[in-house]
Amino acid sequence: MTTVIAPRDRTEVPRDRAESATGHRTESATGTAARTAEAVITGIGVAAPNGLGTEAWWAATLRGESGIRPLSRFDAGSYPVKLAGEVPGFIDADHVSSRLLPQTDRVTRLSLAAAKEALDDAGADPAQLPDHAAGVVTANSFGGFEFGQRELEALWSKGGRHVSAYQSFAWFYAVNSGQISIRHGLRGASGVIVSEQAGGLDAMAHARRQVRKGARLVVTGGIDSALCPWGWAAYVAGGGLTDRVDPARAYLPFSEDASGHVVGEGGALLILENAEEARRRGATVYGILAGHAATFDADGVCRLGAAAELALADADVHPDEVDIVFADAAGDRAADRAEAVAITALFGPYGVPVTAPKSMTGRLAAGGASLDVAAALLALRDQLIPPTTGTELPADDCLLNLVTGAPSPGLGLPLRTALVLARGRGGFNSAVVVRAPEAAA
C-alpha cells in the first residue's frame, strides 16, 4: 500500500528573513556572500546492501528489494543478533590493487570503489584541476575495525612483531579520506567527520564550506563497515538492535511493532562542485546542496526538529515547498515517535510524504544519511519517491504520510525539494536540504 494524500497548494511566501528554531530571526542566506559559491552534486557512488553501484542499488530500492539477511561474514550463532545488511558481490581485488590489499580494511576498499564510481559519474578528472583545488571530506564511525581485530589477534597470539605496520593507519577514522586523496591526487582541504549516523550529512556540510572557500571539487559522504566479531560485539553492547530472525519483520520504522533496527555496511560518496565550474565543463547536475544545520540533544530534549527548521532557513525554503522527507527512522518506538513529532510540528500531521529506504539496507552508521541524500537526488531526477518496506502503516502516534508498498509520484506536483534527516548516537542531529537544479534556477 502506498500512502498518499491530496496535493498541497504551493503558495509563494515572501522570505527576506527566516525565523530559526531558536526564535531568533536570521538573514536569508541568498543575500549573503556565502551564496556566491553554490555547491552542486554532479556524481554519485554507492555500495549498499541491496545493490553495488548506484543504478543497481536504485533499481532495487524502487522495487522494494531488501538487502537485510542472515549475517554471512562470520558465524553469528553465539550472538543474540543475527541479521545484517551486507554489500553483495563486492570482490575486494576487483577494486583495490594487490599492493593496497594488505594495507586496507574492507571499509576503505568500499570507499575507494564508491569514490571512483562517483568521480567517473561526474566526468571529473582531478588531474585537470589546479593543485589544491580538489579535496575529500568523508564521515566514518568505526575506522578499520576488521583490520584492527586481525592485528589484535596477531598481537595476543604471536606477539607484537607480528602486528602489521599498516595498523598505524588502517584502523583510523580518517583513512578513507587519506586513501581516496592519494589515489586521485586530491591535495586540497580535506578531513573526516565522526558523528555516527549524522556524519554523512555533516561531512557534506563541511565539503560545502570548502567549496564556498574556493575549492572546485570535493569528494564527500560516508561509508562504514564493522561486520566482524569485534564490531558486532560493539553493536550488540550499544543496544537498540532487533533480535528478530525474519528479515521481513526485523526493521520496521514507525511501526507499532517496531523492535529495534538492523545494522549494515556501505553508504554513498558524492561529488560536490562549485556550480560555476560544473556548468563551465558541462557537467550533469543532480541537485543543489541548498541547506544544512546540525544540533545536539540536551537535557533529554530531542533537537532534530530544530535542525530541520534551521536547515530550511539556511536553504531559504518554506516548509510548504518541501516535497519529500527522508526520515532518520530509528526503528525504536520512542525515537520514532520523537521524530514523527518533529516532522509534524514543521509540516503538520500527514503534511508531506515521508520515506525511509534504509528499511531495505539497515542503518549504515556514517553511510546511512549520505545514501539517503543519493536517494533524494535520484527521486528528484526520476520523480519517484522510494518506499519504506516492512512497515505497512505507521503507528497511531506517528502522524506521518509514510510512503509504503511501491514508489510514489508524490502529491501531484513536481518533486523539487527534499529534506534529509539524521540522528547519531550520543545526541547528534543533522538535516540537509537538496533541490533539483531547475528548482533553484
Side-chain angles (χ1 to χ4, degrees), residues 14 49 74 131 175 234 237 260 372 381 391:
F74 64 94
D131 281 348
V175 68
D372 277 348
R381 181 194 72 179
T391 301

Side-chain angles (χ1 to χ4, degrees), residues 47-428:
N50 60 339
L52 178 59
T54 301
E55 294 303 333
W57 156 75
W58 182 237
T61 298
L62 292 180
R63 292 194 301 268
E65 184 177 303
S66 177
I68 295 172
R69 53 184 63 91
L71 187 58
S72 66
R73 296 277 299 284
F74 64 94
D75 183 3
S78 61
Y79 295 85
V81 178
K82 298 175 173 59
L83 297 178
E86 298 173 297
V87 175
F90 187 83
I91 300 172
D92 298 33
D94 290 348
H95 303 277
V96 178
S97 69
S98 58
R99 180 183 62 83
L100 270 182
L101 280 172
Q103 302 182 32
T104 52
D105 182 86
R106 179 176 175 88
V107 69
T108 302
R109 298 165 189 172
L110 291 171
S111 298
L112 287 167
K116 183 180 185 305
E117 183 189 12
L119 284 165
D120 288 348
D121 184 39
D125 181 3
Q128 300 301 313
L129 297 175
D131 281 348
H132 312 295
V136 52
V137 179
T138 65
N140 188 258
S141 303
F142 297 95
F145 246 49
E146 189 172 11
F147 193 103
Q149 176 187 300
R150 289 197 305 268
E151 300 313 310
L152 284 173
E153 290 171 349
L155 173 66
W156 294 116
S157 64
K158 300 177 182 178
R161 286 183 297 177
H162 295 272
V163 175
S164 169
Y166 300 130
Q167 169 66 7
S168 61
F169 60 81
W171 69 274
F172 191 42
Y173 303 104
V175 68
N176 300 334
S177 288
Q179 292 288 9
I180 293 167
S181 172
I182 292 168
R183 172 175 281 192
H184 297 286
L186 307 174
R187 301 188 191 89
S190 300
V192 62
I193 304 294
V194 183
S195 51
E196 214 258 339
Q197 187 84 19
L201 303 187
D202 293 340
M204 294 181 67
H206 188 63
R208 184 178 67 158
R209 284 192 287 272
Q210 297 306 326
V211 169
R212 288 177 170 177
K213 290 177 180 178
R216 302 253 289 259
L217 178 153
V218 184
V219 178
T220 189
I223 301 280
D224 252 315
S225 179
L227 303 186
C228 61
W230 190 22
W232 208 241
Y235 276 127
V236 173
L241 277 65
T242 180
D243 60 0
R244 291 178 180 165
V245 295
D246 179 0
R249 300 298 301 164
Y251 180 27
L252 306 175
F254 302 109
S255 170
E256 184 70 41
D257 199 29
S259 63
H261 67 275
V262 175
V263 297
E265 64 177 353
L269 295 179
L270 305 103
I271 306 304
L272 208 64
E273 289 194 65
N274 176 290
E276 291 185 6
E277 292 299 325
R279 283 191 288 269
R280 181 188 59 77
R281 68 179 187 85
T284 298
V285 174
Y286 285 102
I288 298 119
L289 179 54
H292 170 265
T295 59
F296 192 78
D297 295 342
D299 300 322
V301 177
C302 175
R303 298 272 296 161
L304 180 65
E309 189 173 347
L310 289 166
L312 292 178
D314 181 45
D316 197 25
V317 167
H318 190 274
D320 284 349
E321 295 177 276
V322 175
D323 302 300
I324 177 175
V325 173
F326 285 78
D328 175 72
D332 169 84
R333 288 291 292 118
D336 285 348
R337 188 183 306 114
E339 182 172 20
V341 168
I343 292 171
T344 56
L346 196 54
F347 301 102
Y350 311 106
V352 64
V354 176
T355 190
K358 60 171 62 73
S359 57
M360 293 172 251
T361 64
R363 292 177 68 79
L364 310 183
S370 56
L371 190 64
D372 277 348
V373 170
L377 294 166
L378 296 177
L380 299 181
R381 181 194 72 179
D382 295 346
Q383 294 294 292
L384 283 174
I385 300 174
T388 305
T389 61
T391 301
E392 296 178 359
L393 286 172
D396 291 342
D397 55 4
C398 295
L399 306 181
L400 300 178
N401 180 17
L402 192 67
V403 177
T404 64
S408 166
L411 300 177
L413 296 168
L415 301 176
R416 299 183 298 188
T417 304
L419 173 67
V420 180
L421 304 176
R423 291 173 291 187
R425 284 180 181 269
F428 299 101

